[in-house]
Amino acid sequence: MTGRNPAGRVLSGMRPSGRLHLGHYHGVLQNWLRLQTEHDCFFFVADWHALTTEYSTPQGLRENIKEMVVDWLSAGIDPEISTIFVQSHVKEHAELMVLLSMITPLSWLERNPTYKEQLKEVKDRDLHTYGFLGYPVLQTADIIIYRAENVPVGIDQAPHLELSREIARRFNYFYGDIFPEPKTILTSSPKVLGTDGRKMSKSYNNAVYLSDPPEVVERKIRTMMTDPARKRRTDPGNPDICPVYITFHTIYSDEPTREWVRAGCTTADIGCIECKKAVIPRVLSLLEPLRKRREEILREEDMIWRILREGRDKASGVASETMKDVRKAMGLDY
Ligand code: TRP
Ligand code: SF4
């Protein structure tokens, strides 16, 4: 154990969706980077959670896991100070999920807003499965098996975390005080819009990826949608409704540059290309160190799986200790 306080342990996970984009970087990874210097952090790949929806194509998981972990590492998630692992490598998550499923009322799961929403929205596959309904039960096991107190997630995960606290409380009520109730650390993330002005997302095909080469990043920003009212160079625009401004200038430019954009755009003094050119180098310089680290990592691909196995060993140590306490508390230590 390092000198950091395990009482403040942080845990978070992501489903392996392949390459990460700037939305993931500014929304999640930057917070992880900040937290890992101050807390005992566990970051894991939620491959079983991915299967709740991708169950018909599990073959894609291996590559998606690799790509995502390469992005974590190249962004600076440091296996020397954080524990990085794959969920399915630590079988105790599944054991705890079974036990938690005994005490989780169906009504809690059925009223979960994320569940109801996904059932309505996702049309290309059948999500009326036991596993999908139990998604938050597995997520609870992921968290409390490390007795994590802090869970940094985006607002979309807040209902799941609320359920996790309820399930932990119910366990403690039946069997004794084993688990802390995990706190949600809501990560206030900037609004990251994609090249078409909608939320940046892989499924919208509008994302700038951390692994995009510089010329691709440049092309994506150069062709990015702007204020639609600026049809001609001589039309004034409004930065407040322009995705280039809302996302790129807000995140990457300094105040004088933003002032220059606001003044130039609203008077048609500057053109959109000029405006975009001002921010492109800043995006590239953020990504440059990531690109270098990525090259090093990919030169030695075995290292990725080695890091994940070492993480598994550390995580398993903690998880198996917790499970001993759990079995004992429930009288299952025969
Ligand atoms: N459900 C989370 C997501 O989709 C991933 C996840 C699984 C998670 N288990 C977790 C996040 C435990 C935090 C803690 O992003
Ligand atoms: Fe957007 Fe800049 Fe063009 Fe104004 S000048 S519409 S802020 S890209």
Side-chain angles (χ1 to χ4, degrees), residues 176-203:
D177 238 340
I178 299 285
F179 297 117
E181 286 175 27
K183 285 191 288 290
T184 310
I185 309 190
L186 262 197
T187 51
S188 66
S189 41
K191 204 172 183 172
V192 182
L193 301 177
T195 50
D196 60 356
R198 292 187 288 174
K199 183 177 180 233
M200 189 176 287
S201 159
K202 184 179 180 165
S203 51

Side-chain angles (χ1 to χ4, degrees), residues 226-227 230 239 242 244-245 261 265 271-272 275:
T226 63
D227 174 357
R230 279 205 90 175
C242 171
V244 175
Y245 186 83
V261 171
C265 175
C272 289
C275 174

Side-chain angles (χ1 to χ4, degrees), residues 146-211:
Y146 301 103
R147 295 183 158 107
E149 297 198 356
N150 304 298
V151 185
V153 285
I155 183 83
D156 61 308
Q157 294 293 310
H160 287 152
L161 271 271
E162 187 55 41
L163 257 175
S164 292
R165 281 188 290 277
E166 282 171 331
I167 296 171
R169 208 174 301 145
R170 193 162 160 90
F171 184 99
N172 290 344
Y173 169 76
F174 281 127
Y175 313 117
D177 238 340
I178 299 285
F179 297 117
E181 286 175 27
K183 285 191 288 290
T184 310
I185 309 190
L186 262 197
T187 51
S188 66
S189 41
K191 204 172 183 172
V192 182
L193 301 177
T195 50
D196 60 356
R198 292 187 288 174
K199 183 177 180 233
M200 189 176 287
S201 159
K202 184 179 180 165
S203 51
Y204 291 156
N205 211 353
N206 65 359
V208 176
Y209 289 94
L210 301 184
S211 51

Side-chain angles (χ1 to χ4, degrees), residues 11-12 27 33 47 51 67-68 70 80 98 111 127 140 197 204 228 240 261 267 269 271 273 290 297 302 322:
L11 174 131
S12 194
L33 290 170
D47 58 338
L51 281 177
E67 282 181 342
M68 189 169 78
V70 170
E80 297 285 325
V98 168
R111 69 162 193 236
L127 293 182
T140 303
Y204 291 156
D240 293 329
V261 171
T267 55
D269 245 16
I273 288 291
L290 278 78
I297 295 163
D302 286 357
T322 306

